[in-house]
Amino acid sequence: MTALERDVTELWRRYENDEVDADSAGEAERATLDAFLDALEAGAVRAAEREGGEWVANEWVKRGILLNFGLRRAETREYGGVAYNDVLPLAATGDWGERGTRNTPDGTVVRRGAHVGANCILMSPAFVNVGAHVGDGTLVDSCDTVGSCAQIGENVKLGANTLIGGVLEPVEDAPVVIEDGVSLGAGCRVTSGFVVGEDSVVGENTLLTPRIPVYDLVDEEVRYGRLPPERRAFTRFVESSVGDHDLFDGGAYKPAVVATALEDRTLDATEREEVLRE
């Protein structure tokens, strides 16, 4: 256990026991909160990490994020000449250029406590929430949302209008994970702790959530909550259990995800996106 983890854990104990609140928190408590946010932004701590092939939530990290809401009061702040009210300021981006990271103006919003790596591209409007981790070389396209604690790997492409859901509570639940090298087509939705395996290519407007089955034609298995690595995935519709109900003329269908092996032409298409990074 690091010194920071000990400090956050002790502060959480005091908070849970009503020994400290937003009104009584002093310089020492705020120094712990600020040091924790700095560590998140630097990528030194993460809301989830891979252990033994599985993604596991770091509960103390998620508690540290919750403490930043519980022990702070909302303040009137200003960004781009617009006043807003929040408990956290936006992340400072002045050194991003030194890391080769680009963000376009008027709508690219990164909240304090989010990590954005080197050589990334963030197109406006896009929103990256506290606790999110965006790996090196990743593209966050226009109208994308990266939810709190979401873990985005390196060299990922998030197509325009993509939603990556956040999972802050309960603290023991692992958040959405998009592993290295994944390409998500425009309009994708990934929610509720779903894990997209590395180097997979997901077709546009695909919904990935543990409630929707993934028909993995490579391993001939039906999976929930995970897309294996190196798959090409897309939405199809299968017959619903209420398909023979009188209410539905011609049957009822529900969405499913079909996963096949990657094809060369799929890889060629995704590689063309690399020109955007130059």
Side-chain angles (χ1 to χ4, degrees):
M1 184 179 290
T2 65
L4 180 60
E5 183 177 352
R6 285 194 298 270
D7 290 345
V8 169
T9 300
E10 172 60 17
L11 190 54
W12 178 262
R13 183 197 65 78
R14 293 170 57 201
Y15 177 68
E16 285 282 275
N17 292 332
D18 296 324
E19 298 174 14
V20 63
D21 58 18
D23 292 327
S24 62
E27 291 185 8
E29 289 80 11
R30 298 196 189 284
T32 295
L33 297 179
D34 287 338
F36 172 75
L37 293 177
D38 289 342
L40 277 175
E41 292 183 5
V45 299
R46 298 177 62 165
E49 294 180 283
R50 196 166 187 169
E51 297 181 5
E54 299 293 331
W55 284 89
V56 179
N58 282 328
E59 296 183 22
W60 77 270
V61 174
K62 298 177 82 173
R63 290 188 179 115
I65 296 172
L66 291 171
L67 282 171
N68 270 278
F69 291 101
L71 297 181
R72 298 182 189 268
R73 294 292 185 193
E75 301 178 23
T76 300
R77 306 176 187 275
E78 186 174 309
Y79 174 75
V82 177
Y84 69 99
N85 293 276
D86 198 1
V87 296
L88 292 174
L90 301 184
T93 61
D95 66 339
W96 281 18
E98 300 172 7
R99 295 188 271 140
T101 289
R102 292 189 271 152
N103 60 308
T104 56
D106 291 337
T108 303
V109 177
V110 180
R111 214 172 186 194
R112 178 92 159 95
H115 170 77
V116 177
N119 300 312
C120 292
I121 300 173
L122 283 74
M123 302 298 294
S124 59
F127 177 67
V128 182
N129 208 346
V130 58
H133 184 102
V134 179
D136 296 349
T138 286
L139 168 65
V140 180
D141 212 337
S142 298
C143 301
D144 288 350
T145 297
V146 180
S148 57
C149 299
Q151 303 294 294
I152 312 297
E154 297 182 358
N155 300 312
V156 169
K157 176 184 177 294
L158 304 181
N161 198 32
T162 290
L163 169 66
I164 307 299
V167 179
L168 185 51
E169 295 184 279
V171 294
E172 64 271 15
D173 284 3
V176 171
V177 176
I178 312 296
E179 294 183 344
D180 296 350
V182 168
S183 178
L184 298 182
C188 285
R189 302 289 186 270
V190 189
T191 68
S192 304
F194 196 98
V195 177
V196 181
E198 62 183 10
D199 296 324
S200 289
V201 177
V202 181
E204 61 185 22
N205 296 317
T206 300
L207 173 60
L208 298 174
T209 179
R211 295 178 296 278
I212 292 180
V214 176
Y215 291 86
D216 184 5
L217 303 186
V218 177
D219 292 337
E220 297 185 349
E221 293 184 18
V222 179
R223 305 178 185 274
Y224 289 88
R226 178 173 176 80
L227 178 67
E230 299 182 353
R231 296 293 195 271
R232 184 170 78 87
F234 47 89
T235 298
R236 288 293 182 268
F237 288 86
V238 298
E239 188 173 349
S240 170
S241 59
V242 296
D244 58 354
H245 197 284
D246 291 342
L247 180 64
F248 302 101
D249 184 17
Y253 293 85
K254 60 184 179 182
V257 174
V258 176
T260 65
L262 283 178
E263 299 174 353
D264 290 341
R265 64 176 179 271
T266 300
L267 293 174
D268 289 342
T270 58
E271 286 168 358
R272 283 197 293 270
E273 298 289 345
E274 292 300 316
V275 71
L276 297 175
R277 306 176 188 275
E278 296 300 327

